[in-house]
Amino acid sequence: MASEFSLIEQYFQRDSRRADVALGIGDDAALLRPPEGQLLAAAVDTLLIGVHFTDGTRPSDLGWKALAVNLSDLAAMGAEPAWATLSLSMPAYSERWLKEFAEGFFELADSVGIELVGGDTVKGPLTVTVQVHGFVPEGQALSRSDARPGDVIYVSGSLGDAAWGLKQALEQEIPRNVNEYFLRERLDRPSPRLALGKKLRGIASACIDISDGLAADLGHIMQRSNLGAEIETAALPLSEQLRAVCDDEEGRGLGLNGGDDYELCFTIPQPQQAVFEAIADSLGVAVTRIGEMTNEVGVLRVDGEVYEAEGYDHFRDPEYRDIGL
Ligand code: ADP
Ligand code: MG
């Protein structure tokens, strides 16, 4: 009979790949060597079944995504990934599930050089919590709070894809063509923009990753920087795959409010424009100018009109609020 310990050994313990891991999985705590002169960036995110992923999500996609959403936070700080821990709650022991989960997790982990150094495994509702640690040279981390009026707002990649994929997943529909596969993949296997995040060090005045939707997440930059913003929907980067499956209006709505894309939204001061445009081509990911930061504190204008964001809030729905706590 499988025990918690053999499970960890079999699926999660591997030979160390990083010189800065003095001791990885297997003891009471990992022992790690942070580099001198760098700050440690730490982030944690939980994926809960029925809230962050649907019943039908493949275990390998879940393993990938649980790590990806955390790496996206490191990307938004301009940090280089180093170490991760994984806390897993599962209703039952399934070899197939664990094998596939670990495959997805390590596929992404190995591609970015992050090492799993510890975790916890318990029986309970399916919930995956990953914590990541990364490094960023002191003074070079990207924040949400240093945007200035007139700074140009950019986003990476395309927006709204994952939201369309989610809509389809919730309706338990199976992708029927290449466009639908692409959109579902954007939901299940987001690409954290780590290379872009690092390139933005010293250039971007503010940066955030888009997990809750552009309008909501740009709202966080506005709030932390004490500014407003104006954006044009015509400028929103919508993928050709998204355009193929919905009309302009729906596409713009998804682009503005759709969550789960894990693209970066960042601001570039005018004097840095030339430097930024020069490196933008070499990034390997499209970046699109969508608007500007303004002096109108707290006001987001979309196509000139004042706009209220509809981003996801776990505690807005009374179902979550009225639990007697
Ligand atoms: P403790 O009881 O001291 O917390 P555990 O028995 O939970 O230790 O874990 C034993 C070792 O296995 C520890 O090094 C822990 O970090 C690691 N570990 C447990 N679960 C996981 C997991 N899901 N992924 C990676 N490492 C894990
Ligand atoms: Mg434990």
Side-chain angles (χ1 to χ4, degrees):
M1 194 53 219
S3 75
E4 177 193 333
F5 303 102
S6 65
L7 173 164
I8 294 161
E9 228 166 74
Q10 189 169 355
Y11 297 105
F12 297 114
Q13 198 163 10
R14 309 191 308 167
D15 291 338
S16 179
R17 287 137 207 254
R18 293 183 63 99
D20 55 12
V21 178
L23 185 63
I25 291 173
D27 215 305
D28 289 310
L31 297 173
L32 309 164
R33 285 189 199 92
E36 242 167 86
Q38 306 230 18
L39 294 181
L40 189 64
V44 63
D45 259 317
T46 295
L47 300 191
L48 193 60
I49 190 161
V51 178
H52 301 97
F53 60 95
T54 59
D55 236 344
T57 306
R58 282 185 300 216
S60 56
D61 289 339
L62 186 57
W64 173 289
K65 187 163 177 173
L67 180 58
V69 301
N70 277 283
L71 291 173
S72 178
D73 285 324
L74 291 184
M77 297 302 289
E80 167 92 36
W83 312 310
T85 57
L86 164 67
S87 177
L88 203 51
S89 164
M90 306 174 291
Y93 179 91
S94 155
E95 300 233 356
R96 196 187 62 103
W97 193 94
L98 279 162
K99 182 169 170 285
E100 290 179 13
F101 178 89
E103 266 166 20
F105 184 93
F106 286 120
E107 186 182 344
L108 178 58
D110 293 346
S111 76
V112 305
I114 196 168
E115 184 165 322
L116 182 65
V117 296
D120 199 14
T121 310
V122 299
K123 187 172 173 180
L126 189 57
T127 308
V128 185
T129 300
V130 172
Q131 182 175 35
V132 289
H133 297 95
F135 312 132
V136 60
E138 196 139 356
Q140 289 189 37
L142 306 172
S143 76
R144 299 175 176 186
S145 54
D146 293 331
R148 295 282 168 269
D151 287 0
V152 179
I153 304 167
Y154 286 84
V155 292
S156 65
S158 55
L159 299 179
D161 298 331
W164 198 91
L166 176 63
K167 203 177 61 158
Q168 203 198 35
L170 287 173
E171 288 161 8
Q172 300 194 328
E173 276 182 33
I174 292 164
R176 287 162 301 189
N177 54 48
V178 284
N179 295 323
E180 295 188 358
Y181 270 107
F182 170 88
L183 298 168
R184 185 69 74 89
E185 187 93 347
R186 290 275 291 153
L187 171 71
D188 290 335
R189 294 212 161 205
S191 310
R193 302 302 186 189
L194 287 159
L196 172 60
K198 277 203 293 181
K199 284 263 172 64
L200 292 175
R201 288 176 186 167
I203 298 177
S205 51
C207 184
I208 191 168
D209 69 318
I210 304 176
S211 52
D212 295 334
L214 170 66
D217 288 319
L218 176 56
H220 295 306
I221 292 184
M222 287 162 41
Q223 193 189 9
R224 293 290 307 279
S225 297
N226 209 22
L227 294 176
E230 56 188 21
I231 57 177
E232 298 294 326
T233 50
L236 293 181
L238 304 183
S239 65
E240 59 183 271
Q241 291 87 348
L242 183 65
R243 289 178 194 277
V245 298
C246 62
D247 62 25
D248 281 1
E249 199 189 325
E250 188 186 2
R252 286 175 189 196
L254 292 172
L256 264 183
N257 293 303
D260 261 359
D261 283 315
Y262 297 98
E263 295 296 346
L264 296 183
C265 172
F266 52 95
T267 58
I268 305 283
Q270 304 274 358
Q272 305 275 30
Q273 280 303 295
V275 188
F276 177 69
E277 297 285 347
I279 63 164
D281 289 342
S282 67
L283 287 172
V285 51
V287 291
T288 308
R289 201 179 157 136
I290 59 163
E292 269 191 21
M293 299 305 292
T294 67
N295 272 316
E296 257 187 309
V297 178
V299 178
L300 173 62
R301 285 184 185 275
V302 175
D303 299 333
E305 304 284 326
V306 176
Y307 189 85
E308 290 291 335
E310 302 165 13
Y312 190 75
D313 176 349
H314 286 266
F315 295 100
R316 184 184 295 161
D317 186 332
E319 188 190 329
Y320 291 98
R321 215 169 34 217
D322 301 338
I323 51 176
L325 291 179

